[in-house]
Amino acid sequence: MGGTGGAATGEPGGGHPLAEAVAGAVTEVGVLLREWRADAAALRGVWEGSQFKAEADARAHRALSERLTAIDPGIPVVSEEDPDSLARERPPRYWLIDPIDGTASYAHGFPGYVTQAALVIGDRPEVAAVYAPEPRTLYTAVRGRGARRDGVPLPRHRAAPPGHGVLTDNTPEPRGIAARVAEHFGYDGYLESGSISLKLCLIAEGTAHLFVKDVPVRDWDVAAPGLILAETGGLLTRLDGTPFRYRGGYEHTGLVGGADPATCRTVARWLADR
């Protein structure tokens, strides 16, 4: 990923107080996640449908929730690991967190997992932080102020027409919908990666250029990396090309994320016609 080993060369949140605070929170929880990998009890879990749930998910939820509440007790936390928070009406201002995105990777010894949080105000994320513990890479964004990796501003993307650049997914080679997109649009470059969030961050930093998935996707998977991607000029949509609204239900079917918004829309239109 080209991270800097956690040694930021600038302010992780660009001087924005909440961004700095949430960056510190996810980084601290990421350190704990690395430590817990040595504890067999933390790695034990069960599959719930397509989601692997481990004891570490609950631990990370508690650790991240505590840190965010300490930042501002008036901002509630909505978490994948807290069903009660998901059952209530969305607050006007809240932290939307995924304590571990990529739990299966985490529990089975792979590096492709992150811990993340986004401050959602109204119906859109405004502040985001994603920490990848194994490469020790921190991504942050504030709406309208750009995105950063390890404190260094990420540049805006250049055009990446369909078929140009690198497709990413979490299998050794493109499969399913990713394989269909690769074949139709002519993608030769491919990068295997881990969690949904990590793949979107790889696009934001320019290592990859397009990610397409047709599995269930939840708002907490994409709120933080979606803002990071948007602040580099990229685009994230649902599989049908419509935006994530961050209101009502939390679950959607699939996504298209890309460095080039025009390419995202082209791919989404093609998929909608299939």
Side-chain angles (χ1 to χ4, degrees), residues 57-118:
D57 284 299
R59 293 187 188 181
H61 162 76
R62 291 191 295 269
L64 187 51
S65 297
E66 289 169 359
R67 284 162 174 78
L68 294 176
T69 299
I71 292 169
D72 186 337
I75 304 177
V77 175
V78 176
S79 171
E80 176 185 11
E81 306 304 326
D82 180 5
D84 289 343
S85 71
L86 301 176
R88 294 189 287 267
E89 184 177 351
R90 296 199 195 210
R93 186 169 182 249
Y94 61 99
W95 294 110
L96 182 59
I97 72 172
D98 193 349
I100 308 178
D101 186 39
T103 302
S105 290
Y106 176 79
H108 296 101
F110 299 107
Y113 68 95
V114 304
T115 183
Q116 60 188 6

Side-chain angles (χ1 to χ4, degrees), residues 3 5 15 48 68 73 81 94 108 125 137 147 175 185 190 192 212 221 268:
E48 297 179 1
L68 294 176
E81 306 304 326
Y94 61 99
H108 296 101
T137 304
R175 296 176 187 170
F185 291 102
Y190 179 75
E192 180 183 5
V212 181
D221 295 322

